[in-house]
Amino acid sequence: MRPSGRDVSELRPVSIETGVTKHAEGSCLIRMGDTHVLCTATLEERVPPFLKNSGLGWVTAEYGMLPRATTTRMRREAAQGKQGGRTVEIQRLIGRALRAGVDRVALGERQITIDCDVIQADGGTRCASITGGWVALRLAVNKLMKTGEVISDPLVDPVAAVSCGIYAGQPVLDLDYPEDSEAGVDGNFVMTGSGKLIEVQMSAEGSTYTRAQMNALLDLAEKGVAELVAAQKAAVGA
Amino acid sequence: MRPSGRDVSELRPVSIETGVTKHAEGSCLIRMGDTHVLCTATLEERVPPFLKNSGLGWVTAEYGMLPRATTTRMRREAAQGKQGGRTVEIQRLIGRALRAGVDRVALGERQITIDCDVIQADGGTRCASITGGWVALRLAVNKLMKTGEVISDPLVDPVAAVSCGIYAGQPVLDLDYPEDSEAGVDGNFVMTGSGKLIEVQMSAEGSTYTRAQMNALLDLAEKGVAELVAAQKAAVGA
Amino acid sequence: MRPSGRDVSELRPVSIETGVTKHAEGSCLIRMGDTHVLCTATLEERVPPFLKNSGLGWVTAEYGMLPRATTTRMRREAAQGKQGGRTVEIQRLIGRALRAGVDRVALGERQITIDCDVIQADGGTRCASITGGWVALRLAVNKLMKTGEVISDPLVDPVAAVSCGIYAGQPVLDLDYPEDSEAGVDGNFVMTGSGKLIEVQMSAEGSTYTRAQMNALLDLAEKGVAELVAAQKAAVGA
Amino acid sequence: MRPSGRDVSELRPVSIETGVTKHAEGSCLIRMGDTHVLCTATLEERVPPFLKNSGLGWVTAEYGMLPRATTTRMRREAAQGKQGGRTVEIQRLIGRALRAGVDRVALGERQITIDCDVIQADGGTRCASITGGWVALRLAVNKLMKTGEVISDPLVDPVAAVSCGIYAGQPVLDLDYPEDSEAGVDGNFVMTGSGKLIEVQMSAEGSTYTRAQMNALLDLAEKGVAELVAAQKAAVGA
Amino acid sequence: MRPSGRDVSELRPVSIETGVTKHAEGSCLIRMGDTHVLCTATLEERVPPFLKNSGLGWVTAEYGMLPRATTTRMRREAAQGKQGGRTVEIQRLIGRALRAGVDRVALGERQITIDCDVIQADGGTRCASITGGWVALRLAVNKLMKTGEVISDPLVDPVAAVSCGIYAGQPVLDLDYPEDSEAGVDGNFVMTGSGKLIEVQMSAEGSTYTRAQMNALLDLAEKGVAELVAAQKAAVGA
Amino acid sequence: MRPSGRDVSELRPVSIETGVTKHAEGSCLIRMGDTHVLCTATLEERVPPFLKNSGLGWVTAEYGMLPRATTTRMRREAAQGKQGGRTVEIQRLIGRALRAGVDRVALGERQITIDCDVIQADGGTRCASITGGWVALRLAVNKLMKTGEVISDPLVDPVAAVSCGIYAGQPVLDLDYPEDSEAGVDGNFVMTGSGKLIEVQMSAEGSTYTRAQMNALLDLAEKGVAELVAAQKAAVGA
């Protein structure tokens, strides 16, 4: 029995509210149960130095947590003078995941930065950031296409992510914090709307797992991502 | 004529929504027009080293802006490795302002940290942080009083803040960003519910002002703070 | 009765010695009683990026304290790897205050940096820095006018600052450290030689104040600044 | 055809030389072709604060690259004032991977730090670090068992890692740098000597992959890890 | 011919003014020609962790330059977020030099920190810091002896330092900045009042030197240090 | 009697193995007994800003220690966020020493960076770094001369370094760690193949020394450097 009473293959309630900040080129507030992440897309007509004059675009991401997004207050990273290892690891994952779904030639030589800021955390913030981040990205690209700055759609297939893990011996979909802190094995699965894999990260903490268990989690992830992609499409009106 | 069409002594629409995060001991989302600040209060049963065994409580504040709270994206302070001078200056003001309204003996030897994170900025974020911060503080203290951990109310008089400035030659209340960026003189006024002053900061940028102008702004501020205190009281059900 | 035996409206003995370092374009050592600040002006034929090709000049300030300027030794900020919040707040104030008295068109596209280093501290270091900083600035501008690089004087009116506070229930002028550490309300007042206001910062620490008290402090400040401006004029031979 | 002429399921020549530094409790130099990593184990009779009095041991890892381990010189992280995101991500992986193979009750309340320093890089440095790091860990634990400080062996099953990827459309084992920089999909696979999975990280860069491709890489990884475990056992004389 | 017209074995005019700050336990302003350094001694009844309960005292030093101590303004180290390599190198030398002249058993378990802040620089600041630093140290120790906290004098022999170099082919004593910037070979010589050596640092920049040249500089240094020690003694009234 | 049983004027066994990394333009692993340092030379066709268009080349050095190069593990400097004072002091010495032996006009406007990374430490790492660093430099310059990019040899005379000290009252050559930690006086001597001096650093820690003792150490150093230069020549095949 899951602490939330959910079925093993049941996502938390998902809501994606778009247009939540007036300044960003794209934005949404994604809620996966009690995990709430504000995602904004910033469009800039410049690229990092290594892409100058390449004709290729760039998508990158930054991640943060408000100090009291968690049960006990965490120290503010800006006040500590550096981003923690976990933050760095997560924002590199978000950037890599979103880039995998972008045709960078079609985007052209410009950069889109996705900021994912966790307002409230209850497990699965990196997956929610990817799913919500893609919505912000989609909205920013829509603007570029509306103005004709971009002709061919660089986002051919949505990108979404979900976590799965083995909780109380049972493979379950979309871990919340009480499950996540108990699970000996958990994974984050980034996939496309058409069911292709982009990134799999599956770790055991003080434990191991079998290929059969891995496959069971992949099956759950496929189901979850399909539902998340439907929510993304509804949110962006596609 | 003000860009927003407001009267010279008219606040922007104010809304204070409480209980917006499930983890914090007190929280609110304050909206002053398009300026939106999330304020949380964290209660800890410890004090800074200089207050150990003093019997006195402590209230402190931290301030941050999401990178895309503004028209153009600002670099994330955590990624830059330090808080900017403006951030430091603001969070010191918020802490000082709120402490002035606290009976630290009555609070007892515990610390309350107020985090003010700007979700969307349109001028006046430091004043909104003080006004909303007091609401979060009030809610956290209410919890302490309900459990009997605190007997005598340490918050005898609400604390709120508003900015005023001279825009197009005219003293106006509650500057928004278009006004703020044009005003040669502006001030931040922190006051109590009973009309006492806590902090006045009034600066000219490339200009000067007279005592008569200062008094005009103080008159406006008194009116504005009275309205904000009414909104605070409504929000906390007092 | 004040600890120093001074009258309530009496400044500490003021001395401003100019030309104290051979390298700087302008310099002075200002002594307000036992508070001693070395102020130097550095002239550079460049401006910050945001003023490139604007035709406008820039005046900025940096502030520091020698580690043993105080009763007990403070850690050296360079060794700590960052400037403290108080330092940042003060140097922003000094820069803003001095800029308010500069005609930046007349100065032309060049930068003057005022360094204020506290050799010995006994309260009121930020005000002494502003008063002494203006003298260093004046001397550096004099050089520019002598060589004809600047034609129209960009410093039309001196800028000076003084602190006032309520000590033992009494408004007093120019707080020294024993008074400052006891005062529940104190303010820093930056004004011009012609009596205009540039910046007022008046704070209560764990207390509040009335407009009547504020006016009493402003009256004292006007008297004090007039005397400081006379000392500035004497020092620069104007 | 692979640039190195290797067969698709062929590891680079592996050599593990132990006892390479006189100070460390365990050490080895692992060479996977032209990738050379020096791994040392440091034993300390203390644990991180969160494990004080828990009876549990801790294994952690740090990773670094000498500046000229690579084709062009990289800036020294110590001189830059921080570890890069890639470094942080890798050392977290190494620590997690090794911990998964440790019985922390059997180890007792002590800490072993594995330092992995890349002397020369040609792809696959994180996997070589895990494989070599386990050897250093094994040697340090052997010392503890010899002295009787540890009775029950906390390392029941070796831990090793290998990368696989899709190069020129073909799944291949143990990518070297020329392959790694071309591969659109690659993964790092951490497993135990008995074939259990510890961590799978499989990413597409600007691309996607199928479950069939994932399974093909897992098959290769199982073969590679088995050979690496044999090399580990030979190196530690087990 | 030296730029200053001095004889090859002639020091710059030396002046050591004591008691220049009211807070420090010992202080002086040392002037070697246009090089002016403020030296303060801070006494603390604690030692670094590695000396706890050793019965031994500690003497350490910190060094800084005001930003406009030099011909062109240097960036403030506190604002840059770290001390430069030259600063670190110099302050380690000062501490080592002064410690060599201290009987740390006689001093007892307490720490004296010597702060050397360069107000104006014209070459030889590290040597002036050592010579002036010893005076500040002497004055602080005198206080300890007066109160009886220290019985046996821990400073048996004064410590002073001077630079020498080969300028225009000629060995000269006490380089000023114009000489220092031209000299291909220069050295810093720390000695005691009785003529013993404490530290010799003699470097060639893009050049080499012979033992005969080294000896010629040592002869000059002996003469110079003897004169400096006489000035130290006069300053402390010994 | 020396702990190692060596004669007072006997170097530790020296070995210099070249070509130890495939990427660097020059490299060697130098072993002075149990002190092992990996030295690499990186050639870049650019110079620091202050040498742009000067026609002059630049040689600089960086130094590091692997965390477990020493008896007890030291914290990794990259993880601490800065290089320690000792590291900075040493790398400045290495750079200065090597530059003294370079004809920077003959080198032409290019930069060579020498990285010295201590794999295992047993005293004398800075001297081994200079001696080994020169070998790496020589090999990199040989490449430039082979291709004709440099015509006139910029390295006319080898540069090597050795430490000497007074151990148990006796001047001894080439201190190892047990001697170094006991010696009250020690020095580092950098010389050329033809016996000229480049840098002498001779310090007493809590002690003093005479000119006669200094001369005794210099005599030993001359003998030691001559033997090291022979080893350098053998290593580079000159």
Side-chain angles (χ1 to χ4, degrees):
Chain A
M1 194 48 121
R2 306 179 70 171
S4 60
R6 278 186 285 149
D7 188 79
V8 292
S9 67
E10 189 182 346
L11 287 180
R12 290 175 285 183
V14 182
S15 103
I16 304 177
E17 186 185 345
T18 60
V20 293
T21 74
K22 75 170 192 174
H23 300 303
E25 280 74 32
S27 71
C28 75
L29 176 61
I30 183 168
R31 291 188 183 86
M32 301 279 295
D34 281 337
T35 289
H36 303 171
V37 186
L38 184 66
C39 305
T40 60
T42 295
L43 175 67
E44 289 165 305
E45 292 295 322
R46 58 179 188 79
V47 284
F50 67 91
L51 288 178
K52 277 267 173 69
N53 303 317
S54 68
L56 296 172
W58 189 244
V59 172
T60 186
E62 288 190 8
Y63 170 93
M65 264 204 185
L66 296 194
R68 196 57 197 282
T70 43
T71 317
T72 56
R73 186 177 184 272
M74 297 175 308
R75 284 192 62 197
R76 190 176 286 266
E77 291 187 324
Q80 287 196 93
K82 65 170 190 167
Q83 295 181 301
R86 183 185 165 277
T87 295
V88 167
E89 196 175 290
I90 290 176
Q91 70 191 10
R92 285 166 61 89
L93 168 63
I94 302 170
R96 216 160 51 224
L98 293 176
R99 267 195 306 281
V102 174
D103 178 341
R104 288 164 56 207
V105 174
L107 178 57
E109 205 170 310
R110 47 179 62 87
Q111 171 168 302
I112 300 179
T113 302
I114 306 298
D115 283 291
C116 301
D117 284 276
V118 180
I119 303 297
Q120 188 175 278
D122 187 39
T125 62
R126 77 191 72 188
C127 290
S129 296
I130 291 168
T131 306
W134 188 84
V135 169
L137 176 63
R138 171 77 272 174
L139 294 171
V141 169
N142 284 353
K143 282 207 179 154
L144 286 169
M145 295 189 70
K146 213 169 188 173
T147 59
E149 290 165 277
V150 163
I151 306 299
S152 163
D153 189 356
L155 303 176
V156 289
D157 206 1
V159 173
V162 77
S163 75
C164 301
I166 298 175
Y167 174 76
Q170 179 91 18
V172 298
L173 175 65
D174 189 22
L175 301 170
D176 53 29
Y177 181 75
E179 292 167 335
D180 190 37
S181 53
E182 293 292 319
V185 175
D186 68 71
N188 298 293
F189 302 86
V190 187
M191 300 186 196
T192 68
S194 59
K196 296 283 183 57
L197 293 159
I198 284 178
E199 180 132 354
V200 169
Q201 290 196 343
M202 193 165 159
S203 317
E205 183 69 43
S207 162
T208 59
Y209 57 95
T210 63
R211 284 182 69 167
Q213 289 174 311
M214 182 168 186
N215 281 318
L217 296 196
L218 270 162
D219 291 342
L220 285 173
E222 284 180 355
K223 174 180 180 294
V225 166
E227 292 173 30
L228 291 168
V229 168
Q232 288 176 319
K233 286 181 174 167
V236 302
Chain B
M1 196 48 122
R2 304 180 71 174
S4 60
R6 279 186 283 149
D7 189 78
V8 293
S9 66
E10 188 182 346
L11 288 180
R12 289 174 286 182
V14 181
S15 105
I16 304 178
E17 185 186 346
T18 60
V20 292
T21 74
K22 75 170 192 175
H23 300 302
E25 280 73 34
S27 71
C28 75
L29 176 63
I30 182 167
R31 291 189 183 86
M32 301 278 295
D34 281 336
T35 289
H36 303 172
V37 186
L38 184 66
C39 305
T40 61
T42 294
L43 175 67
E44 289 165 305
E45 291 297 321
R46 57 179 189 81
V47 286
F50 66 91
L51 289 177
K52 276 267 172 71
N53 303 317
S54 67
L56 296 172
W58 189 244
V59 172
T60 187
E62 287 189 8
Y63 171 92
M65 264 205 187
L66 297 194
R68 195 57 199 281
T70 42
T71 318
T72 55
R73 188 178 183 270
M74 297 175 309
R75 283 191 63 194
R76 190 176 285 266
E77 290 186 325
Q80 287 197 95
K82 65 172 192 168
Q83 294 180 302
R86 181 184 165 279
T87 295
V88 168
E89 196 175 292
I90 290 176
Q91 70 190 9
R92 284 166 63 88
L93 168 63
I94 301 169
R96 216 160 51 223
L98 293 176
R99 270 195 305 280
V102 174
D103 178 341
R104 289 165 53 207
V105 175
L107 178 57
E109 204 168 311
R110 49 178 60 88
Q111 171 168 303
I112 301 180
T113 302
I114 306 297
D115 284 290
C116 302
D117 284 276
V118 180
I119 303 295
Q120 189 176 277
D122 187 40
T125 63
R126 77 189 72 190
C127 290
S129 295
I130 291 168
T131 305
W134 187 85
V135 169
L137 176 62
R138 173 76 272 175
L139 294 171
V141 169
N142 285 354
K143 283 209 177 151
L144 286 169
M145 297 189 70
K146 213 167 189 174
T147 59
E149 290 165 278
V150 163
I151 305 299
S152 162
D153 189 356
L155 302 177
V156 288
D157 206 1
V159 173
V162 76
S163 75
C164 301
I166 299 175
Y167 174 76
Q170 179 91 16
V172 298
L173 175 65
D174 188 22
L175 302 170
D176 53 28
Y177 181 75
E179 291 169 335
D180 191 35
S181 53
E182 293 292 318
V185 175
D186 67 72
N188 297 294
F189 302 87
V190 187
M191 301 187 193
T192 68
S194 59
K196 296 282 183 56
L197 291 159
I198 284 178
E199 179 131 356
V200 169
Q201 290 196 344
M202 194 167 157
S203 318
E205 183 70 42
S207 161
T208 60
Y209 57 95
T210 64
R211 284 183 69 167
Q213 289 175 311
M214 183 168 185
N215 281 319
L217 297 196
L218 270 162
D219 292 343
L220 285 173
E222 284 179 355
K223 173 179 181 296
V225 165
E227 293 173 30
L228 291 168
V229 167
Q232 288 176 319
K233 286 181 172 166
V236 301
Chain C
M1 194 49 117
R2 307 178 70 172
S4 60
R6 278 186 284 150
D7 189 78
V8 292
S9 67
E10 188 183 346
L11 287 179
R12 289 174 286 182
V14 181
S15 104
I16 305 177
E17 185 186 345
T18 60
V20 294
T21 73
K22 74 170 192 174
H23 300 303
E25 280 73 34
S27 72
C28 75
L29 176 62
I30 183 168
R31 291 189 184 86
M32 301 278 296
D34 280 337
T35 288
H36 303 170
V37 185
L38 184 67
C39 305
T40 60
T42 294
L43 174 68
E44 289 166 303
E45 292 295 324
R46 57 180 189 79
V47 285
F50 67 91
L51 288 178
K52 276 268 172 69
N53 303 318
S54 67
L56 295 172
W58 190 244
V59 172
T60 186
E62 287 190 8
Y63 170 93
M65 266 205 184
L66 297 193
R68 196 57 199 281
T70 42
T71 316
T72 55
R73 186 177 184 272
M74 298 173 309
R75 281 193 64 197
R76 190 176 287 266
E77 290 186 324
Q80 286 196 96
K82 67 170 188 168
Q83 296 181 301
R86 181 185 166 277
T87 294
V88 167
E89 196 175 290
I90 290 176
Q91 70 191 10
R92 284 166 61 90
L93 168 62
I94 301 170
R96 216 160 51 222
L98 294 177
R99 268 196 305 280
V102 174
D103 179 339
R104 287 165 56 206
V105 174
L107 178 57
E109 205 169 311
R110 49 178 61 87
Q111 171 168 303
I112 300 179
T113 302
I114 306 297
D115 283 289
C116 301
D117 285 275
V118 179
I119 303 295
Q120 189 175 277
D122 187 40
T125 62
R126 77 190 72 188
C127 290
S129 295
I130 291 168
T131 306
W134 187 85
V135 169
L137 176 63
R138 173 76 272 175
L139 295 170
V141 169
N142 284 354
K143 282 207 178 152
L144 286 170
M145 298 189 69
K146 213 167 187 174
T147 59
E149 289 165 278
V150 163
I151 306 299
S152 163
D153 189 357
L155 302 176
V156 289
D157 206 1
V159 173
V162 76
S163 75
C164 301
I166 299 175
Y167 174 76
Q170 179 90 18
V172 298
L173 176 66
D174 189 21
L175 302 170
D176 53 28
Y177 181 74
E179 292 168 336
D180 191 35
S181 53
E182 293 292 318
V185 175
D186 67 71
N188 298 293
F189 302 86
V190 187
M191 300 186 194
T192 67
S194 58
K196 296 281 183 55
L197 292 159
I198 284 177
E199 179 131 355
V200 168
Q201 289 196 342
M202 194 166 156
S203 317
E205 183 69 43
S207 161
T208 60
Y209 57 95
T210 63
R211 282 182 69 165
Q213 288 174 311
M214 183 169 186
N215 282 318
L217 296 196
L218 270 163
D219 292 342
L220 285 173
E222 285 179 354
K223 175 181 179 295
V225 165
E227 292 173 29
L228 290 168
V229 167
Q232 288 176 319
K233 286 182 173 166
V236 301
Chain D
M1 195 50 121
R2 306 179 71 173
S4 59
R6 278 187 284 150
D7 189 78
V8 292
S9 66
E10 187 182 346
L11 288 179
R12 289 175 286 182
V14 182
S15 104
I16 305 178
E17 187 185 345
T18 61
V20 292
T21 73
K22 74 170 193 175
H23 300 303
E25 281 72 34
S27 71
C28 75
L29 175 63
I30 182 168
R31 291 188 184 89
M32 302 278 296
D34 281 336
T35 289
H36 303 171
V37 185
L38 184 67
C39 304
T40 61
T42 294
L43 174 68
E44 289 165 303
E45 292 295 322
R46 56 181 190 78
V47 286
F50 66 92
L51 289 178
K52 276 269 174 69
N53 304 318
S54 67
L56 295 173
W58 189 244
V59 172
T60 186
E62 287 190 9
Y63 170 93
M65 264 205 187
L66 297 193
R68 196 55 199 283
T70 42
T71 316
T72 55
R73 186 178 184 271
M74 297 175 308
R75 282 192 64 195
R76 189 176 287 266
E77 290 186 325
Q80 285 195 97
K82 67 171 188 166
Q83 295 181 300
R86 182 185 164 277
T87 295
V88 167
E89 195 175 292
I90 291 176
Q91 70 190 9
R92 285 166 62 89
L93 168 63
I94 301 170
R96 216 159 52 223
L98 294 177
R99 269 195 305 281
V102 173
D103 178 340
R104 288 165 53 205
V105 175
L107 178 58
E109 205 169 310
R110 49 179 60 89
Q111 170 168 302
I112 300 180
T113 302
I114 305 298
D115 284 290
C116 302
D117 285 276
V118 180
I119 303 296
Q120 188 176 279
D122 187 40
T125 64
R126 77 189 71 189
C127 291
S129 296
I130 291 168
T131 305
W134 187 84
V135 169
L137 176 62
R138 175 74 272 178
L139 295 171
V141 170
N142 285 354
K143 282 206 179 153
L144 286 169
M145 297 190 69
K146 214 167 186 173
T147 59
E149 289 165 277
V150 162
I151 306 299
S152 163
D153 189 356
L155 302 177
V156 289
D157 206 0
V159 173
V162 76
S163 75
C164 302
I166 298 175
Y167 174 76
Q170 179 91 15
V172 297
L173 176 66
D174 188 24
L175 301 171
D176 53 29
Y177 181 74
E179 291 168 336
D180 190 36
S181 53
E182 293 292 318
V185 175
D186 68 71
N188 297 293
F189 301 86
V190 188
M191 301 185 193
T192 68
S194 59
K196 295 282 183 56
L197 291 159
I198 284 177
E199 179 131 356
V200 168
Q201 289 196 344
M202 194 166 156
S203 318
E205 183 70 44
S207 162
T208 60
Y209 57 94
T210 63
R211 284 181 70 168
Q213 290 174 311
M214 183 168 187
N215 282 318
L217 296 196
L218 271 162
D219 291 342
L220 286 173
E222 285 180 354
K223 174 180 180 293
V225 166
E227 292 173 28
L228 291 169
V229 167
Q232 288 177 319
K233 287 180 174 169
V236 301
Chain E
M1 196 49 122
R2 305 179 72 172
S4 60
R6 278 187 284 150
D7 188 78
V8 291
S9 66
E10 189 182 345
L11 289 180
R12 289 175 285 183
V14 181
S15 105
I16 304 177
E17 188 184 345
T18 60
V20 293
T21 74
K22 76 170 192 174
H23 300 303
E25 281 72 34
S27 71
C28 75
L29 176 62
I30 183 168
R31 291 189 184 89
M32 301 278 296
D34 281 336
T35 289
H36 303 172
V37 185
L38 184 66
C39 304
T40 60
T42 295
L43 176 67
E44 288 165 304
E45 292 296 320
R46 56 177 190 81
V47 286
F50 66 91
L51 289 178
K52 276 268 173 69
N53 303 318
S54 68
L56 296 173
W58 189 244
V59 173
T60 186
E62 287 190 8
Y63 170 92
M65 265 205 186
L66 297 193
R68 196 56 198 282
T70 42
T71 317
T72 56
R73 186 176 184 272
M74 297 174 310
R75 283 191 63 194
R76 190 176 286 266
E77 290 187 325
Q80 286 196 93
K82 66 170 190 168
Q83 295 181 301
R86 181 184 165 278
T87 295
V88 168
E89 195 175 290
I90 290 176
Q91 71 191 9
R92 284 165 63 89
L93 168 63
I94 301 170
R96 215 160 52 223
L98 294 176
R99 269 195 305 280
V102 174
D103 179 340
R104 289 164 53 207
V105 175
L107 179 57
E109 206 169 309
R110 48 178 61 88
Q111 170 169 305
I112 301 180
T113 302
I114 306 297
D115 283 291
C116 302
D117 284 276
V118 180
I119 303 296
Q120 187 175 277
D122 187 40
T125 62
R126 78 190 70 189
C127 289
S129 295
I130 291 168
T131 305
W134 187 84
V135 169
L137 176 62
R138 173 77 271 177
L139 295 170
V141 169
N142 285 353
K143 283 208 177 152
L144 287 169
M145 297 189 70
K146 214 168 186 172
T147 59
E149 288 164 278
V150 163
I151 306 298
S152 163
D153 189 356
L155 302 176
V156 289
D157 206 1
V159 174
V162 76
S163 75
C164 301
I166 298 176
Y167 174 75
Q170 179 90 17
V172 298
L173 176 65
D174 189 22
L175 301 170
D176 54 28
Y177 181 73
E179 291 168 337
D180 191 36
S181 54
E182 293 293 317
V185 175
D186 67 71
N188 298 293
F189 301 87
V190 187
M191 300 186 195
T192 68
S194 59
K196 296 282 182 57
L197 292 158
I198 284 177
E199 180 132 354
V200 169
Q201 288 196 345
M202 194 165 157
S203 318
E205 183 68 44
S207 161
T208 60
Y209 57 94
T210 64
R211 285 182 68 167
Q213 289 174 312
M214 182 168 187
N215 281 319
L217 296 196
L218 270 163
D219 291 341
L220 286 172
E222 285 180 353
K223 175 180 180 293
V225 165
E227 294 173 29
L228 291 169
V229 168
Q232 288 175 320
K233 287 181 173 167
V236 301
Chain F
M1 194 50 117
R2 307 180 69 171
S4 60
R6 277 187 285 148
D7 189 79
V8 292
S9 66
E10 189 182 346
L11 288 180
R12 290 175 285 182
V14 182
S15 103
I16 305 177
E17 187 185 345
T18 60
V20 294
T21 73
K22 75 170 193 176
H23 300 304
E25 281 73 33
S27 72
C28 75
L29 176 62
I30 183 168
R31 291 188 183 88
M32 302 279 296
D34 280 337
T35 288
H36 303 172
V37 185
L38 184 66
C39 305
T40 60
T42 295
L43 174 67
E44 289 165 304
E45 293 296 322
R46 57 179 189 80
V47 285
F50 66 91
L51 288 178
K52 275 268 174 70
N53 303 319
S54 67
L56 295 173
W58 189 243
V59 172
T60 186
E62 288 190 8
Y63 171 93
M65 265 206 187
L66 296 194
R68 196 55 198 281
T70 42
T71 316
T72 55
R73 187 178 184 271
M74 297 174 309
R75 284 193 61 198
R76 190 176 287 266
E77 291 187 323
Q80 287 196 94
K82 67 171 187 164
Q83 295 181 301
R86 181 185 165 278
T87 295
V88 168
E89 196 175 291
I90 291 176
Q91 71 191 9
R92 285 166 60 89
L93 168 63
I94 302 170
R96 216 160 51 223
L98 294 177
R99 269 196 304 282
V102 173
D103 178 340
R104 289 165 55 207
V105 175
L107 178 57
E109 206 169 310
R110 48 179 61 87
Q111 171 168 304
I112 300 179
T113 302
I114 305 298
D115 283 290
C116 302
D117 285 276
V118 180
I119 303 296
Q120 187 176 279
D122 187 40
T125 63
R126 77 189 71 188
C127 290
S129 295
I130 291 168
T131 305
W134 188 84
V135 169
L137 176 62
R138 173 76 271 176
L139 294 171
V141 169
N142 285 354
K143 281 206 180 154
L144 286 169
M145 297 190 69
K146 214 167 186 173
T147 60
E149 288 165 278
V150 163
I151 306 298
S152 163
D153 189 356
L155 301 176
V156 288
D157 207 1
V159 173
V162 76
S163 75
C164 302
I166 298 175
Y167 173 76
Q170 179 91 17
V172 298
L173 175 65
D174 189 22
L175 302 170
D176 53 29
Y177 181 74
E179 291 168 336
D180 190 36
S181 53
E182 292 292 318
V185 175
D186 67 70
N188 298 293
F189 301 87
V190 186
M191 300 186 194
T192 67
S194 58
K196 297 280 182 56
L197 292 159
I198 284 177
E199 180 132 356
V200 168
Q201 290 197 343
M202 194 165 156
S203 317
E205 183 68 44
S207 161
T208 59
Y209 57 94
T210 63
R211 283 182 70 167
Q213 289 175 311
M214 182 168 187
N215 281 318
L217 296 196
L218 269 163
D219 291 343
L220 285 173
E222 284 180 354
K223 175 180 179 294
V225 166
E227 293 174 28
L228 290 168
V229 168
Q232 288 176 320
K233 286 182 173 167
V236 301

